[in-house]
Each structure stands twice: as C-alpha cells, then as structure tokens.
Amino acid sequence: MESLHSGVFRTADVGRLSGYSVQQVRNLERDGVLPPAGRTGSGYRVYDRSHVLSARAYRALAAGTGPVEAKRVMRAAHSDPEGTLLAMLDAAHAQLDRERRDLESAKEAVQHIAAEPVRDVRAADSMSISELAGALGIRASTLRHWDAMGLVSPGRGTPAEARTYTPADVRSARIVHQLRLAGYGITALRDLMPELRAAGRGGDLSTGLDARDASIRARSRALLAAAAELHALRTPPPV
C-alpha cells in the first residue's frame, strides 16, 4: 500500500490517499489546489508527497470554510509568503469564534423570548409591519420575506389588507431575528420554527439549536485537521 514516503504517485494513488476520484484530482490540479504535476516522457502525470498533502488539506479546509475559501487558502499555501497563509487561517478560526459566541447569545435570547407569557391579548397590543421593523431594526421588506417563507405569518383579512402582528407573531419575529443574527439560513429556519413555536412557551428548545452548535464544532475540527496537513506540507520531508 502506498504511503507518503513512497516517492512517486499516479493520479489514482493521490485519489486513494486523499479520498478523491481520479477526475477530482485532475480538477484540483487545474484549480491550483494542487501544485502542477510532473510529467513522464510519455506525458503521464506524476505526483509526490506534496500533492497528497495538498489534497488532504483542501478536503479538510472545504469542510471547515467552504470550497471557495479553501481554494484561496491552498493557492496561498503554494505561492504566497507564510504570513499570508497564517493570516487566512487565523481569519477562518476568528469567524468560527464569532459564530460560536453569536450562537450562545442567540440561545439565551431565544430561551428568554420563548418563555415570555402571552396573556390578555388586546387589539392595541398588535403591531404594524413598520412598527415591528423599527423595533427589530430591520427593513419591512425583510418581514415580508419572512412571511413569504412561512417563518412569521401575521394575520390579515385579505391579501390587500395590511399585516397585523399579534404579540405571538412579534415573539416569533424576535426569535427569527436572533437566529438570523446567529447564522441560521432561511431553509434551516423553515424547519426549525414550527418546533420552536410548539416548544415555545417555556419549553426546551435545545434540540433544534444544538444542531448549529454541532456544525460549528465539526468545522473547527476540520480546520484543526487542515492545519496539520498544511504544516506537513510546509515542512520538508525527512531525509
């Protein structure tokens, strides 16, 4: 079985050692994720340790930062000074740290908002779309989008009538706003909000929110694995 000390690799060897197909290895070389391969006299590609490490590093980076940023990092690893590469990795870790702190804040806010009692609802307690947008610090068009996506759907007699947000609607909008700030996408919120509304009044919301936490932890572990591969890539192999 091939190892990193085998010397010369074929395309299939690089794929086997990094978890990619032959075509994917060629695509990664084309995109600058791998350094240019050598060629035999008959024109076949030949690879070495650096290509395997680059493919492994990219695989981990893509899981941690997404494929677009991962390609930028790998190109920097091959062509830019070390300081540029380190700065890019620091920025990726800082982004995850911000997401983690925002999520913790959102968890606390959502638990507090969902536990607030909604009693003795009166017509005067409702809010117009402009009033709610102003209270949340967002645009009215954002609330319309949330309505269209089924996140917060206020009552209205006919499509032509103005939206009227009851206290329960306002609470849902506050929850959506906090989770959007914490990085939740619209699609994820469409799945999560019915659960939050059902659990709502003082219930346990941790199950849905913990999925985001698990995603951040997985990306952090991926960046850790990528750093190990990049360190090996930038370190001369043992003689």
Side-chain angles (χ1 to χ4, degrees):
M1 179 179 294
E2 300 87 0
S3 73
L4 290 183
H5 303 296
S6 298
V8 177
F9 302 98
R10 299 169 302 166
T11 309
D13 299 329
V14 176
R16 187 159 43 249
L17 289 167
S18 61
Y20 286 114
S21 70
V22 167
Q23 186 57 53
Q24 285 173 323
V25 171
R26 291 172 180 158
N27 291 345
L28 293 178
E29 182 189 352
R30 177 202 63 198
D31 294 341
V33 171
L34 309 185
R39 295 280 181 168
T40 65
S42 54
Y44 289 102
R45 289 178 173 87
V46 289
Y47 299 90
D48 58 26
R49 169 182 178 272
S50 68
H51 296 94
V52 177
L53 291 171
S54 295
R56 289 179 176 176
Y58 172 75
R59 189 178 190 88
L61 282 168
T65 68
V68 174
E69 181 63 16
K71 288 178 181 178
R72 290 184 63 243
V73 173
M74 291 310 303
R75 292 179 188 125
H78 297 314
S79 60
D80 293 342
E82 183 181 49
T84 300
L85 173 62
L86 295 177
M88 296 175 79
L89 292 175
D90 288 345
H93 283 289
Q95 174 63 31
L96 282 173
D97 180 60
R98 285 191 296 272
E99 291 183 29
R100 185 176 288 106
R101 286 186 281 108
D102 288 346
L103 180 60
E104 289 305 313
S105 297
K107 283 182 177 180
E108 294 178 8
V110 168
Q111 288 282 2
H112 176 74
I113 293 167
E116 293 175 354
V118 179
R119 303 189 185 97
D120 303 325
V121 178
R122 299 167 299 177
D125 295 325
S126 297
M127 300 178 73
S128 68
I129 189 170
S130 59
E131 290 171 336
L132 181 55
L136 295 178
I138 60 177
R139 295 182 178 183
S141 59
T142 299
L143 288 170
R144 294 189 188 97
H145 181 58
W146 291 355
D147 186 1
M149 295 294 102
L151 301 181
V152 184
S153 298
R156 53 201 300 192
T158 67
E161 292 182 1
R163 295 170 173 83
T164 301
Y165 292 84
T166 67
D169 297 330
V170 171
R171 179 172 58 186
S172 293
R174 290 168 63 196
I175 291 173
V176 170
H177 182 51
Q178 288 294 326
L179 294 178
R180 288 291 286 153
L181 291 175
Y184 271 84
I186 294 296
T187 301
L189 282 173
R190 289 182 69 179
D191 296 333
L192 183 61
M193 282 306 296
E195 179 182 340
L196 294 184
R197 280 191 287 263
R201 298 161 182 82
D204 180 12
L205 308 180
S206 60
T207 300
L209 297 176
D210 282 348
R212 176 72 176 174
D213 199 10
S215 172
I216 292 174
R217 288 198 307 272
R219 289 163 60 199
S220 292
R221 288 192 294 269
L223 284 180
L224 183 63
E229 301 291 355
L230 287 168
H231 177 69
L233 177 63
R234 302 287 295 230
T235 303
V239 178

